[in-house]
Amino acid sequence: MALNNSYDARLVQQETAVGAGVQVLLLALIGPAIGMGPAGWLTGLAFAVATWAVLSRALHRSRLHSFGAANRVTLGRAVLVGGVTALVADSFQDSPPVSLLVGLTAVALILDGVDGKVARRTGTSTPLGARFDMEVDAFLILVLSVYVSMAMGPWVLLIGTMRYVFVAAARLWPWLTAPLPPSTARKTVAALQGVLLLLAGADLLPHEVNVGVVALALGLLVWSFGRDVRWLWRTSQVRVGAAATAEVRELVAG
């Protein structure tokens, strides 16, 4: 039985290696076609290596014996995000084809609604899969905010960095790590971030309209995070109050 578990584990790890290989293949296809510079190549390769290393470590810890169809879809999205990341990095030196960047991003956003459905239909939903999906989403929004900020200013980076600031804040205030209740509004706002940033990045509308689109995205995100932080704070105060009441009762009873 131990040998079978080890064999299954190796198979799962191989899928992450395949994902890294596909990432390199994507770079090999688009790089020469658009004349990608060193920044794009290095960033794309670094993304591939980092994704492989982090995902492999997470799989090892979770001890999954099957990677699963949903995670394969998410891995495909990660490959596309790696391509977008390379194009954005290259844009600091040259102007990559906007149509290619929009195309890769659009497919990644469309697939965002697929992996969750696949996981539910196949009964393969896992905490690792949910976290993997969330991290890919967050990084894509960060990369898009970097791209759009080059035309609109650094304030756009607030969209891409807000989630990471929240994670950092949770290290100082552990009450922020409490699980949040399911929320359709939260999911909708998160999904809109990529769509609105892509719309602005495509530069199909007048600059003033694009600024309004990005401002709307930021406003929705601030509202969503603010609502969640407020709920977490109130919940933490209720827990503190309940713990204090229980302690008083124990003292009285003693």
Side-chain angles (χ1 to χ4, degrees):
M1 183 64 70
L3 291 177
N4 288 337
N5 287 341
S6 177
Y7 178 72
D8 288 341
R10 287 198 300 267
L11 286 179
V12 173
Q13 296 291 338
Q14 287 172 5
E15 301 223 30
T16 63
V18 170
V22 174
Q23 179 72 81
V24 174
L25 177 60
L26 177 63
L27 293 174
L29 290 174
I30 67 176
I34 67 171
M36 185 182 293
W41 280 103
L42 291 174
T43 303
L45 292 173
F47 180 90
V49 172
T51 301
W52 168 80
V54 172
L55 186 56
S56 295
R57 184 177 181 183
L59 286 168
H60 178 72
R61 288 182 172 181
S62 65
R63 298 184 179 278
L64 290 180
H65 298 296
S66 174
F67 194 64
N71 284 335
R72 293 188 185 100
V73 175
T74 308
L75 185 59
R77 290 180 53 230
V79 170
L80 295 173
V81 172
V84 174
T85 302
L87 291 175
V88 171
D90 192 57
S91 68
F92 283 93
Q93 297 178 334
D94 198 1
S95 297
V98 176
S99 58
L100 178 59
L101 189 147
V102 170
L104 293 177
T105 304
V107 175
L109 292 174
I110 292 172
L111 290 178
D112 185 27
V114 174
D115 46 13
K117 292 181 180 179
V118 171
R120 289 188 292 272
R121 289 181 180 178
T122 58
T124 55
S125 298
T126 63
L128 173 62
R131 180 65 182 273
F132 184 25
D133 178 62
M134 180 176 62
E135 295 299 339
V136 172
D137 289 341
F139 195 80
L140 176 58
I141 292 173
L142 174 62
V143 171
L144 289 176
S145 69
V146 170
Y147 180 71
V148 175
S149 71
M150 287 188 282
M152 297 187 187
W155 65 273
V156 183
L157 296 175
L158 292 172
I159 296 176
T161 58
M162 195 172 300
R163 190 248 173 189
Y164 296 101
V165 170
F166 179 85
V167 172
R171 294 182 177 273
L172 298 176
W173 299 292
W175 53 269
L176 289 171
T177 61
L180 288 163
S183 170
T184 301
R186 185 189 310 118
K187 293 180 180 179
T188 302
V189 169
L192 282 174
Q193 298 305 304
V195 174
L196 294 176
L197 285 172
L198 176 61
L199 178 60
D203 202 22
L204 299 175
L205 302 173
H207 179 74
E208 293 76 12
V209 177
N210 284 333
V211 171
V213 167
V214 177
L216 174 63
L218 178 58
L220 289 172
L221 195 61
V222 169
W223 170 80
S224 181
F225 269 97
R227 189 183 68 153
D228 286 344
V229 169
R230 183 181 180 184
W231 186 91
L232 290 169
W233 168 252
R234 287 184 171 181
T235 302
S236 70
Q237 294 305 299
V238 170
R239 287 197 299 268
V240 170
T245 301
E247 185 177 350
V248 170
R249 287 177 179 176
E250 288 181 2
L251 291 174
V252 171

